[in-house]
Amino acid sequence: PRSRGLSRTHDATIMSAVTMNLASRAPVAVKAKRNVALRRAATTSKSAKTVVSCSAARSDDATPGPVKRLASAVVGLGAAASLALGAPDVATAAELEILQTPAPASGKGYIVDDSGLLSRAASGSINSRLKELEDTTGYHVNVITVRKLVFEQDPFAFGDKVLETWYPTLEEGNNKGNLLLVKNTKEGAIVGGPAFLKGVGNDVLDSILSKNIPINLDDEKYGEALTSSVDRIVAALEGKADPGPPVKYEKSREKTYKTKEETNEKREIFSNVVIGLLVISFVVPMVQYFGYVAGDPDWDGD
């Protein structure tokens, strides 16, 4: 019985040692399998890169079809035209966008500020004035701003083109008007139908184009140029008194410095005054002293 117990203990010890040995080998086996998987992945990645690089090169036997030839020719012509003519100006796209913009609906909007010159306050003021004008008189005035004119450089011609695009018939554009302002050249234009132009009058139109717009744009007051012009247009169409053009501030041209002659003259006067004060400071005490001495009887006896 004792020998059997020792044998069982010995067998248990051997089994524990075998289990520990297997457990210690397990991480090694897992690590070996992981390394094999990584090597296979790297090999697969290299082969994939090789395939991609090979597929990028065109085979000499491959012949492009007619569709591909036409597409290549179109792309080549487009690139040549871009190099010869240069890239299209952004302002051209802005002009086309304005022409493609639907006409502002009555009572809903009167401003197409493509160049972003108007603040929120100025836009609200202009919209309210023009809506009130349309409600009371039926005249519809649009305010348009553009950064630069390239497709049609004359602001009056571009304004007429926009007016004809939005209101193609005489009946539609008879009482319609457009006030256009170009930021780059600091120019403006007023165009419209016969009834609109007659209602505003040539004197007011000329005054706006020669005073309101240039005077304000010289100081880059774009919002003031548009709001003051709208005020005069609305007053003329409503039959009210004309607010008049803005007053141009004239800077003083008078010199603020002294000439050489004036400086020398002032210097001579200053020198004479200083010399006179010095003489007085010496002479007056001496006269007082002699007067005091002359009136002293004791001094005479001596």
Side-chain angles (χ1 to χ4, degrees):
R2 186 175 180 183
S3 61
R4 290 180 180 178
L6 291 174
S7 178
R8 291 176 181 176
T9 303
H10 181 68
D11 293 340
T13 304
I14 292 173
M15 291 297 295
S16 300
V18 171
T19 303
M20 293 177 64
N21 189 16
L22 291 175
S24 62
R25 290 182 180 181
V28 177
V30 172
K31 185 175 181 181
K33 291 181 179 180
R34 184 179 179 185
N35 293 334
V36 172
L38 291 175
R39 285 197 297 272
R40 288 179 179 176
T43 304
T44 305
S45 176
K46 291 181 179 179
S47 61
K49 291 182 179 179
T50 305
V51 172
V52 171
S53 62
C54 291
S55 62
R58 191 181 69 179
S59 176
D60 295 336
D61 299 335
T63 304
V67 177
K68 292 184 178 180
R69 291 178 181 176
L70 180 60
S72 300
V74 172
V75 172
L77 290 175
S82 299
L83 292 175
L85 301 177
D89 199 295
V90 179
T92 306
E95 294 177 53
L96 296 178
E97 288 178 359
I98 293 175
L99 292 173
Q100 294 173 358
T101 301
S106 299
K108 294 184 178 180
Y110 304 88
I111 299 175
V112 181
D113 188 14
D114 184 77
S115 57
L117 298 179
L118 292 173
S119 62
R120 184 176 298 180
S123 299
S125 175
I126 292 175
N127 271 321
S128 61
R129 291 299 305 275
L130 295 179
K131 185 178 185 305
E132 183 180 357
L133 172 68
E134 187 174 13
D135 293 340
T136 55
T137 63
Y139 289 103
H140 183 97
V141 183
N142 302 307
V143 176
I144 306 170
T145 67
V146 62
R147 184 180 65 84
K148 184 180 180 181
L149 292 178
V150 177
F151 184 75
E152 184 64 66
Q153 297 184 1
D154 185 7
F156 287 94
F158 180 70
D160 285 331
K161 185 175 293 186
V162 175
L163 188 70
E164 294 172 358
T165 303
W166 287 352
Y167 315 107
T169 63
L170 179 61
E171 291 76 13
E172 293 177 342
N174 188 31
N175 59 348
K176 305 295 192 306
N178 287 341
L179 171 61
L180 175 66
L181 192 147
V182 184
K183 179 182 179 181
N184 187 37
T185 57
K186 295 183 178 181
E187 293 178 325
I190 302 175
V191 298
F196 168 79
L197 296 177
K198 183 178 179 180
V200 179
N202 292 331
D203 294 338
V204 176
L205 292 174
D206 294 339
S207 180
I208 291 173
L209 295 174
S210 61
K211 295 183 179 180
N212 285 76
I213 293 178
I215 290 176
N216 287 293
L217 293 189
D218 285 342
D219 298 330
E220 296 187 353
K221 297 180 180 179
Y222 301 101
E224 182 64 24
L226 292 173
T227 52
S228 62
S229 300
V230 168
D231 290 340
R232 298 190 67 183
I233 293 173
V234 170
L237 294 176
E238 290 179 345
K240 298 180 180 179
D242 183 15
V247 179
K248 187 175 182 179
Y249 174 72
E250 295 288 347
K251 295 182 179 180
S252 178
R253 298 181 179 272
E254 296 180 357
K255 60 183 180 63
T256 57
Y257 59 91
K258 295 180 180 180
T259 62
K260 184 178 181 180
E261 292 77 11
E262 293 176 346
T263 303
N264 293 333
E265 182 180 358
K266 295 291 184 181
R267 186 177 299 171
E268 291 177 0
I269 296 175
F270 179 76
S271 301
N272 294 332
V273 171
V274 171
I275 294 173
L277 292 175
L278 291 175
V279 171
I280 293 173
S281 64
F282 281 102
V283 172
V284 171
M286 294 178 66
V287 171
Q288 290 180 348
Y289 174 75
F290 284 113
Y292 174 78
V293 172
D296 189 1
D298 295 336
W299 183 78
D300 294 336
D302 295 340

